Amino acid sequence: MNTGKIIAFDADDTLWDNEDFFRKAEKQFCSIASDILPYNKAMEELFAIEMQNMEDYGYGIKAFVLSMIECLIKISDSNLTPDKIQKLLDIGKDMINKPVELLDGVENCLESLSSSYQLVLATKGDALDQERKLKKSGLEKYFPNVFVMSNKAEENYARIFNQLNIKAKDFIMIGNSLKSDILPVLNLGGYAIYKKSKTTWKHEDLDEKITSDRFFEINDYSEIPTIIEKI
Ligand SMILES: [Mg+2]
């Protein structure tokens, strides 16, 4: 074990596929709503309601299902039959029960890092859902510490540093969201490694360009150990 550095991994779309399930569910929602609104309009309405609910419900499948139901009630002018609500509930249960599929190269990367560094999982959303996915993934053994934040605000990362009794400069975050995984950690003085995912939710988009000598971008997980050795 070396150096006292902590290597933190985001979970969704960093270790395993996730966002595609939401995109597919949105399409199902738009199809259920298609007798009321055209596809793009239904999508816009749903996103607006998700954003309005973010502070109350946070992230995750349960929050998404509540927003779909609220959206359908709103656009139906309250003229909604229970079978449609049942369909939305079924979409959510289907998402919860999806198998967890690891992204290419993840397990090799964790295996090689875990012999030299302490790894932690630093994710956000619904704790039950994230814990369930971690169990299903078979990756639990690599993460003695798991942090599920309600959102990835700087103050929540700072709390993790306190709990781990480390300074920001000893924290290296790896993730697929510039907004949630990269920027807050850089702002606090930590290091961040960005791996772009094939699908990103537009809520995670970031307009500003990141320039920092503590920021690295990779195409493949096999690049991570070499970068970390240089930090
Ligand atoms: Mg992610």
Side-chain angles (χ1 to χ4, degrees), residues 47-60:
F47 184 71
I49 286 177
E50 282 183 273
M51 291 305 100
Q52 283 164 25
N53 286 338
M54 186 62 74
E55 203 170 315
D56 290 335
Y57 297 158
Y59 296 87

Side-chain angles (χ1 to χ4, degrees), residues 73-150:
I73 290 171
K74 183 186 166 203
I75 64 181
S76 310
D77 258 341
S78 304
N79 191 14
L80 184 59
T81 52
D83 64 307
K84 285 196 171 176
I85 295 178
Q86 185 62 54
K87 280 183 184 168
L88 301 179
L89 294 170
D90 290 344
I91 290 173
K93 287 192 178 165
D94 185 48
M95 292 170 83
I96 285 169
N97 290 310
K98 284 263 188 289
V100 171
E101 296 195 7
L102 298 186
L103 296 172
D104 285 346
V106 160
E107 183 133 32
N108 280 347
C109 174
L110 296 176
E111 177 72 43
S112 97
L113 291 174
S114 64
S115 56
S116 308
Y117 301 96
Q118 188 185 339
L119 307 184
V120 308
L121 191 72
T123 182
K124 72 177 175 196
D126 182 73
L128 176 61
D129 194 33
Q130 297 298 24
E131 285 163 10
R132 184 190 297 117
K133 281 187 281 190
L134 182 58
K135 274 205 181 74
K136 278 200 225 172
S137 73
L139 300 178
E140 250 182 330
K141 58 183 182 239
Y142 298 111
F143 297 109
N145 285 297
V146 175
F147 299 94
V148 184
M149 296 172 256
S150 56

Side-chain angles (χ1 to χ4, degrees), residues 61-78:
I61 295 169
K62 283 184 269 186
F64 177 66
V65 170
L66 287 173
S67 290
M68 286 197 294
I69 292 172
E70 183 178 334
C71 185
L72 202 58
I73 290 171
K74 183 186 166 203
I75 64 181
S76 310
D77 258 341
S78 304

